[in-house]
């Protein structure tokens, strides 16, 4: 029996508001995170992901407040990322009501932090947020390079090799976001999804590029266990989640 595909709205939070841009640029306001979380819970979302897109020290307490208010009202799993650097950050997020923490830049800088967090809390609480771009000239064998700082900084690290290392170190799942496709609404980077899928056995969440329901089934066919999107839900019809689930189901994949 294959695992049911999860549909996950992503809330990019900046200073307590949900925002959305294209390739992480030109952010526009998309609403109150708690209200949106409520709406998505009622609309049948399987999980929610909050990403604090600026994660500056000034916004941290705002984010914790948003997490706490959301967790009180919404009963589907909540993953929170942005500014997670050590065990203490994960501990605080979990105490405020998050179910999972996503880590990106800090893990690239010091991969051992993955071991420390998963040893402390178990693999199920840690998601590797992997922002990758096509970089044929960067000397990375797969052609996909890990980026940090919201896609603004290249690292010279091969994205497929990094996904494999993070899985070996114990991350529970990988959120793979295509920087090139992010916010374009042109569809997921299927080649990138397939490359990472071939390298890891942990659940893979595809992100970046979804613009309409028919974009989702190809991502699942490429190897995604879950599909994450923002624009298509924030600015789409009220029944966008149901439409996405129907498209996936009609393509022959089980959904929740």
């Amino acid at each position: 029996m294959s695992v049911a595909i999860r549909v996950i709205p992503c809330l990019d939070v900046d200073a307590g508001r949900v925002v959305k841009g294209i390739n992480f640029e030109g952010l526009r306001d998309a609403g109150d995170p708690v209200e949106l979380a409520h709406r998505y819970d009622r609309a049948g979302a399987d999980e929610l992901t909050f990403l604090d897109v600026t994660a500056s020290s000034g916004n941290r307490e705002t984010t914790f407040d948003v997490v706490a208010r959301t967790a009180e009202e919404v009963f589907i799993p909540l993953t929170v990322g942005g500014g997670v650097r050590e065990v203490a950050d994960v501990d605080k997020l979990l105490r405020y009501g998050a179910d999972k923490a996503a880590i990106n830049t800090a893990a690239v800088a010091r991969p051992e932090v993955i071991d420390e967090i998963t040893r402390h809390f178990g693999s199920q609480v840690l998601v590797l947020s992997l922002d990758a771009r096509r970089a044929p000239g960067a000397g990375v064998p797969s052609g996909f390079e890990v980026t940090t700082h919201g896609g603004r900084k290249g690292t010279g690290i091969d994205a497929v090799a990094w996904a494999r290392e993070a899985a070996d170190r114990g991350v529970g799942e990988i959120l793979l976001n295509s920087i090139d496709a992010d916010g374009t609404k042109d569809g997921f980077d299927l080649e990138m999804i397939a490359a990472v899928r071939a390298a890891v056995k942990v659940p893979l969440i595809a992100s970046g590029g979804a613009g309409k329901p028919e974009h989702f089934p190809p991502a699942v066919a490429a190897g995604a266990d879950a599909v994450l999107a923002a624009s298509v839900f924030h600015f789409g019809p009220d029944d966008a989640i149901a439409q996405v689930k129907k498209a996936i189901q009609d393509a022959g994949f089980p959904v929740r």
Side-chain angles (χ1 to χ4, degrees):
M1 174 71 188
S2 45
V3 177
I5 303 303
R6 292 169 286 150
V7 175
I8 308 173
C10 181
L11 308 182
D12 293 321
V13 180
D14 180 12
R17 298 289 292 176
V18 176
V19 295
K20 188 59 199 158
I22 297 174
N23 307 125
F24 285 78
E25 300 289 326
L27 301 178
R28 63 173 168 148
D29 190 276
D32 175 70
V34 183
E35 282 174 23
L36 279 175
H38 236 310
R39 191 174 103 196
Y40 295 143
D41 189 11
R42 286 198 306 271
D46 298 307
E47 296 185 13
L48 288 171
T49 293
F50 274 17
L51 297 177
D52 181 344
V53 291
T54 46
S56 66
S57 53
N59 284 342
R60 296 308 294 156
E61 290 309 317
T62 309
T63 302
F64 287 123
D65 173 60
V66 168
V67 170
R69 288 190 296 125
T70 304
E72 277 172 17
E73 310 233 353
V74 172
F75 300 102
I76 52 178
L78 176 61
T79 299
V80 183
V84 172
R85 295 181 184 89
E86 57 187 4
V87 168
D89 297 323
V90 177
D91 184 56
K92 190 167 182 181
L93 281 173
L94 297 177
R95 282 191 288 111
Y96 271 77
D99 297 282
K100 295 182 259 190
I103 193 167
N104 180 346
T105 303
V108 173
R110 199 174 70 81
E112 298 76 21
V113 71
I114 294 173
D115 309 61
E116 293 161 12
I117 291 169
T118 55
R119 227 178 8 246
H120 205 88
F121 300 105
S123 291
Q124 76 285 350
V125 307
L126 191 63
V127 178
L128 178 75
S129 184
L130 200 173
D131 292 338
R133 66 182 177 198
R134 288 173 175 263
V140 287
S142 71
F144 300 109
E145 180 188 21
V146 175
T147 68
T148 60
H149 300 81
R152 292 186 293 277
K153 279 193 174 176
T155 61
I157 297 168
D158 187 285
V160 174
W162 172 229
R164 189 184 292 116
E165 179 183 346
D168 289 345
R169 285 182 180 275
V171 295
E173 51 189 357
I174 293 172
L175 167 54
L176 178 65
N177 184 45
S178 165
I179 294 298
D180 304 310
D182 178 75
T184 62
K185 304 184 197 170
D186 293 333
F188 292 92
D189 189 329
L190 305 177
E191 202 182 325
M192 183 188 287
I193 295 166
V196 174
R197 171 77 291 156
V200 301
K201 290 189 166 60
V202 297
L204 183 60
I205 306 164
S207 167
K212 47 192 177 182
E214 51 266 41
H215 284 153
F216 290 83
V220 177
D225 301 283
V227 282
L228 178 143
S231 307
V232 70
F233 299 134
H234 301 341
F235 308 118
D238 287 344
D239 66 342
I241 290 171
Q243 286 186 27
V244 167
K245 289 195 169 190
K246 184 177 187 303
I248 294 170
Q249 198 163 26
D250 288 351
F253 302 105
V255 292
R256 291 192 176 180

